[in-house]
Amino acid sequence: MTSYALGLDYGSDSVRALLVDAHTGAEVATQVVYYPRWKQGLYCVPAKDQFRQHPLDYLESLEAAVRGLWTKAPAGAARQVVGISFDTTGSTPVAVDEAGVALALKPEFADNPNAMFVLWKDHTAIKEAQEITAAASRAPVNYLKYEGGIYSSEWYWAKALHVLREDPAVRANAYYWVEHCDWMSAVLTGTTHPSQLRMGRCATGHKVMWHESWGGYPPNDFFVSIDPLLDGLRDRLPKETFTSDQAVGALTDEWADRLGLPAGIPVGFSAFDCHMGAVAANVKPGVLTKIMGTSTCDITVARYEDIGEKCIRGICGQVDGSVMPGMVGLEAGQSAFGDLYAWFRNVLMWPALNVLQQSTALDDAAKAALIQELEDNTLRQLGDAASQIPAGETGITALDWVNGRRTPDADQTLTMAIAGLKMGSEAPHIFRALVEATAFGARAIIERFKAEGVAIDSVVVIGGISKKSDFIMQVCADVWNCPIDVLESEQSCALGAAIFAATVGGVYPDVASAQQAMASPVCKTYLPDATNAGIYENLYRKYQQLGAFVSGGQL
């Protein structure tokens, strides 16, 4: 009998449900649903780096995505699902009360952004992150040594402290914060109450400062030294964590009914999207898996005997079992990749969109269709024109820090810069420089791994950009001067979640066995152009010089 695994991937804008034949790895059906409130821009203030998402967006979109899946899947497929697993963006925590209810689901907090999920790219907690980093450097034990040595405003404790300081009402009602990935598994298994909540290894290890060597989290005194508002918060968190090849519990009757699934099927411990995407890419030592989307997340793994006692500087953590059970998962990434391109597109489109919005000649539906056409065509035409400009011909150097720098060496206070503009600089010249900037930022990560003794021999890329632009991918291959494999799967992160779902569902004894049958093959390989690679050696030095100047060094 056919067995199906259900993988659910929560991205920045939408949730993707993917049904996979657990025996053959065939992707049977997929359904994408965009978060309705997020799409309207609600609860976000980009000028203040505030990005919040309502829990109802996650719950309503989940139901719509899975229900929509059954309209595309073979008849009766829902009854043959053996397991469910989630991946989400992160760190994206939410405040919950003593009963484990997300505060934004309560009427009195329904429209309060501080009671909602604080999305990964929310950078309102820069000050708090700096304070945590400073406290760790003063402590007898540096509790950030397994998280790159620098705490980020994108992560759990900084966000929780910022909200506690900013909002007395939330402060009075928040029992602790739960990561989005852990919350999803808990909701479907009815284990959201603090007495029942169990948390996955991925989020806790990379963002919540969990480590086995100090028995869970840093001591309460450490957090109190940062701010007494954190007093006791760490003691409310579960000390034990679990890898994603294990089940949180069984799907409840309520959610089985809402999703059209059999009650009682196992739900796995969730993880971050990039970590599960790497599993779908057959991640292994020496191979860097790069998830290219609005931002990037870079994942590799290391054997215990290879990593030893080394602590890799300036990355987003090294966590036992966060990617593959039995190996140490290593995470890095860029705070903006596709977001940088979208920013430039929006700058170019602003006059046209402003005129269009004020026009009375078109109805709202016609305006929306025209806006979508403009957005799609603008990036496509920019890419086509930029690809015709030879490497090194623009004279422009740009940084990729439009949303701060995630790695190496997290610093969300940094801003981007563009140097070398002249009267003859046209939009395609600038766009090419921005593409090169994102490739240079990725190269800085690769070079940091290598400098720290982590082998990176090749790169596997997943995510929308890898399928949409030959130009961007070729620039990356030339800048990194190494081969790049692109995965065939259109939903690699959801596929990774499905691999874990098949494991918790008992189809396979372990994740490695599930990978052999279900991981995505490669659909295309980009090889570096030797001439361009030589040109980019010099341009990369200019990128580094500009970065040093902007961050306080000398040009």
Side-chain angles (χ1 to χ4, degrees):
M1 186 178 77
T2 303
S3 298
Y4 294 113
L6 179 56
L8 291 143
D9 168 37
Y10 276 86
S12 297
D13 304 315
S14 61
V15 60
R16 291 163 283 278
L18 179 68
L19 191 69
V20 182
D21 186 314
H23 297 287
T24 68
E27 298 183 13
V28 178
T30 186
Q31 179 75 3
V32 179
V33 174
Y34 289 85
Y35 313 135
R37 296 163 187 80
W38 172 260
K39 195 171 184 179
Q40 297 175 53
L42 299 180
Y43 314 118
C44 298
V45 186
K48 295 183 178 180
D49 293 322
Q50 177 181 303
F51 296 95
R52 310 292 168 85
Q53 292 185 330
H54 202 290
L56 285 178
D57 266 2
Y58 298 155
L59 299 179
E60 293 169 0
S61 298
L62 169 64
E63 192 169 352
V66 176
R67 283 288 182 180
L69 200 63
W70 309 138
T71 67
K72 301 177 178 180
R79 296 191 298 273
Q80 296 168 285
V81 172
V82 296
I84 307 171
S85 286
F86 290 90
D87 70 75
T88 74
T89 66
S91 176
T92 302
V94 69
V96 302
D97 66 12
E98 288 187 86
V101 178
L103 293 189
L105 294 178
K106 304 175 76 169
E108 62 269 34
F109 291 105
D111 293 308
N112 183 343
N114 289 324
M116 298 174 190
F117 283 91
V118 186
L119 190 64
W120 62 269
K121 69 178 180 178
D122 185 298
H123 291 162
T124 54
I126 289 175
K127 178 176 180 288
E128 289 76 11
Q130 292 171 336
E131 293 174 24
I132 294 169
T133 300
S137 67
R138 296 191 303 265
V141 175
N142 189 332
Y143 294 108
L144 293 177
K145 67 180 181 178
Y146 296 110
E147 292 181 292
I150 302 171
Y151 206 74
S152 171
S153 62
E154 295 183 347
W155 299 352
Y156 179 98
W157 289 106
K159 290 176 173 179
L161 180 55
H162 180 76
V163 172
L164 285 171
R165 288 173 169 175
E166 185 173 82
D167 197 315
V170 171
R171 182 166 68 239
N173 287 271
Y175 187 68
Y176 55 42
W177 273 256
V178 178
E179 285 284 355
H180 181 199
C181 59
D182 291 318
W183 188 73
M184 294 309 309
S185 296
V187 166
L188 264 64
T189 57
T191 57
T192 54
H193 192 278
S195 65
Q196 299 173 292
L197 182 74
R198 298 195 296 164
M199 293 163 62
R201 178 73 50 83
C202 182
T204 52
H206 284 282
K207 315 301 182 188
V208 197
M209 300 172 70
W210 181 93
H211 197 271
E212 189 175 17
S213 66
W214 40 75
Y217 306 94
N220 190 58
D221 288 349
F222 169 76
F223 292 107
V224 172
S225 74
I226 300 166
D227 193 312
L229 289 176
L230 294 175
D231 187 17
L233 180 55
R234 56 88 67 200
D235 296 322
R236 299 170 196 156
L237 298 173
K239 290 183 180 180
E240 189 178 8
T241 63
F242 301 86
T243 51
S244 297
D245 58 335
Q246 301 178 68
V248 177
L251 184 66
T252 65
D253 291 342
E254 176 194 353
W255 276 99
D257 183 62
R258 291 175 68 169
L259 301 178
L261 285 164
I265 57 176
V267 178
F269 281 94
S270 300
F272 291 143
D273 45 7
C274 48
H275 297 70
M276 286 193 168
V279 171
N282 263 322
V283 66
K284 58 185 177 182
V287 178
L288 185 70
T289 303
K290 192 171 187 69
I291 294 83
M292 286 182 169
T294 53
S295 67
T296 72
C297 192
D298 299 355
I299 299 291
T300 190
V301 293
R303 301 177 186 91
Y304 298 142
E305 58 269 27
D306 293 335
I307 195 109
E309 297 300 316
K310 288 186 292 189
C311 293
I312 311 303
R313 295 181 303 112
I315 65 170
C316 300
Q318 54 194 78
V319 180
D320 184 7
S322 65
V323 181
M324 289 288 293
M327 289 190 180
V328 177
L330 303 168
E331 177 191 346
Q334 294 164 267
S335 292
F337 203 93
D339 268 355
L340 179 56
Y341 311 150
W343 164 81
F344 185 57
R345 176 200 65 196
N346 293 342
V347 169
L348 294 180
M349 288 177 54
W350 186 88
L353 291 180
N354 196 46
V355 170
L356 182 60
Q357 293 288 9
Q358 296 181 36
S359 172
T360 58
L362 298 172
D363 59 26
D364 289 344
K367 288 180 182 179
L370 186 54
I371 289 171
Q372 188 64 57
E373 184 179 357
L374 283 170
E375 289 180 346
D376 293 342
N377 286 337
T378 298
L379 279 179
R380 183 166 54 250
Q381 291 189 26
L382 282 170
D384 289 345
S387 69
Q388 301 304 309
I389 302 171
E393 291 295 312
T394 68
I396 301 170
T397 302
L399 299 177
D400 55 313
W401 301 339
V402 71
N403 199 23
R405 183 178 64 207
R406 180 178 294 163
T407 54
D409 305 318
D411 189 345
Q412 301 323 143
T413 67
L414 293 175
T415 55
M416 74 168 295
I418 304 176
L421 293 174
K422 294 185 176 182
M423 288 294 289
S425 302
E426 298 182 344
H429 296 88
I430 299 172
F431 184 71
R432 183 175 183 105
L434 297 182
V435 171
E436 291 168 348
T438 53
F440 291 146
R443 174 168 169 171
I445 293 170
I446 294 171
E447 292 196 349
R448 172 59 60 87
F449 273 128
K450 290 180 176 179
E452 293 289 308
V454 178
I456 303 294
D457 303 316
S458 62
V459 179
V460 176
V461 174
I462 63 180
I465 291 173
S466 67
K467 295 292 190 67
K468 293 177 181 177
S469 177
D470 287 335
F471 162 59
I472 293 173
M473 296 312 304
Q474 188 59 55
V475 168
C476 288
D478 295 344
V479 169
W480 305 343
N481 197 18
C482 75
I484 300 175
D485 288 334
V486 177
L487 287 197
E488 181 178 291
S489 176
E490 299 287 344
Q491 304 291 353
S492 299
C493 294
L495 176 59
I499 289 172
F500 281 103
T503 305
V504 300
V507 178
Y508 297 98
D510 51 48
V511 178
S513 300
Q515 273 184 309
Q516 291 181 5
M518 299 175 65
S520 176
V522 171
C523 69
K524 190 169 187 177
T525 298
Y526 292 87
L527 299 175
D529 178 281
T531 300
N532 287 345
I535 293 170
Y536 281 129
E537 283 295 324
N538 294 325
L539 295 182
Y540 180 62
R541 305 307 163 204
K542 290 186 177 182
Y543 167 88
Q544 290 178 306
Q545 290 174 334
L546 181 60
F549 176 75
V550 169
S551 61
Q554 295 298 315
L555 186 63

